[in-house]
Amino acid sequence: MATKKTNYFTELDQVDVTKHIEKKGKFSYLSWAYAVRELKKRHPSATWIVHEYGDEGTPFIATECGHFVKVTVIVNDVEMTQIHPILNHQNQPIAAPNSFQINTSIQRCLAKAIALHGLGIHLYAGEDLPPSPPLSEEQAQQLLDTLEGDEKEGLVDTVKHQISIGQINQGNFHKAMEHYTNT
């Protein structure tokens, strides 16, 4: 009898990354190191490419709009590419980035390219949209009720915090419900 193989995206999307979310200022993100570790544990042959430009192989490109880095992550022969602007900790473009800022942007880009394969992708849901209103009390309670009896240490507190800072809001409520129902 053949066993059903799980889609790798679905597998990675179900990894609980909530306890590894970090904050810088008002922004939450998943550490590139955690993303790489969790990806490689599940897909040891996964690789990535930091794209280079020009004869000198510079790992960023300067445009009229700003400076950008580009990373491609390959999992199971599927390539996903992310382009990321070089930003400061307030998510503002940096006019003349230094090597540390370029490296930081490459690592953020890597984490987002990994997310395109499923790992932590829900963290970026709605980041390109205007802020959504906070959850209603009923929605917050409904979400917390889905976690009732959950054995994952600290998950309820993490979700309560995400609700309180607006990270889980009306704009991504259904996605959050779907994610926590499937984990």
Side-chain angles (χ1 to χ4, degrees):
M1 177 182 231
T3 58
K4 182 179 176 186
K5 185 170 176 145
T6 304
N7 175 299
Y8 87 92
F9 182 94
T10 302
E11 169 206 358
L12 291 173
D13 185 42
Q14 291 177 355
V15 174
D16 180 13
V17 301
T18 54
K19 62 185 172 202
H20 298 284
I21 295 171
E22 299 180 26
K23 296 239 352 135
K24 285 252 177 152
K26 63 180 182 174
F27 301 103
S28 298
Y29 65 95
L30 185 62
S31 162
W32 70 267
Y34 174 77
V36 166
R37 183 178 71 220
E38 293 304 309
L39 174 65
K40 294 293 272 183
K41 278 179 10 184
R42 290 163 177 81
H43 297 276
S45 64
T47 60
W48 55 91
I49 301 162
V50 175
H51 295 267
E52 297 177 344
Y53 303 91
D55 293 337
E56 296 178 14
T58 306
F60 69 93
I61 189 165
T63 71
E64 291 179 18
C65 300
H67 296 78
F68 296 86
V69 297
K70 182 176 174 181
V71 175
T72 298
V73 173
I74 303 110
V75 178
N76 294 348
D77 296 323
V78 176
E79 294 184 13
M80 298 300 282
T81 300
Q82 177 70 34
I83 299 170
H84 194 276
I86 300 176
L87 305 171
N88 64 19
H89 290 301
Q90 288 80 41
N91 276 4
Q92 299 299 313
I94 299 171
N98 62 38
S99 58
F100 180 80
Q101 293 161 329
I102 293 165
N103 183 62
T104 299
S105 188
I106 289 169
Q107 304 304 19
R108 287 180 185 160
C109 191
L110 173 60
K112 283 189 167 187
I114 291 171
L116 292 174
H117 288 282
L119 184 72
I121 195 165
H122 67 280
L123 297 175
Y124 303 105
E127 76 170 6
D128 54 343
L129 302 173
S132 286
L135 294 182
S136 67
E137 288 183 32
E138 294 81 19
Q139 288 172 316
Q141 192 57 54
Q142 184 181 358
L143 180 57
L144 293 172
D145 287 348
T146 65
L147 302 174
E148 192 171 295
D150 199 311
E151 302 296 322
K152 296 175 183 158
E153 186 178 319
L155 185 57
V156 172
D157 289 337
T158 299
V159 170
K160 284 180 180 178
H161 176 71
Q162 290 173 333
I163 292 169
S164 73
I165 64 171
Q167 187 174 357
I168 298 176
N169 53 52
Q170 288 187 18
N172 61 15
F173 170 70
H174 293 291
K175 290 290 184 188
M177 285 293 293
E178 179 182 311
H179 175 72
Y180 289 115
T181 301
N182 293 328
T183 51

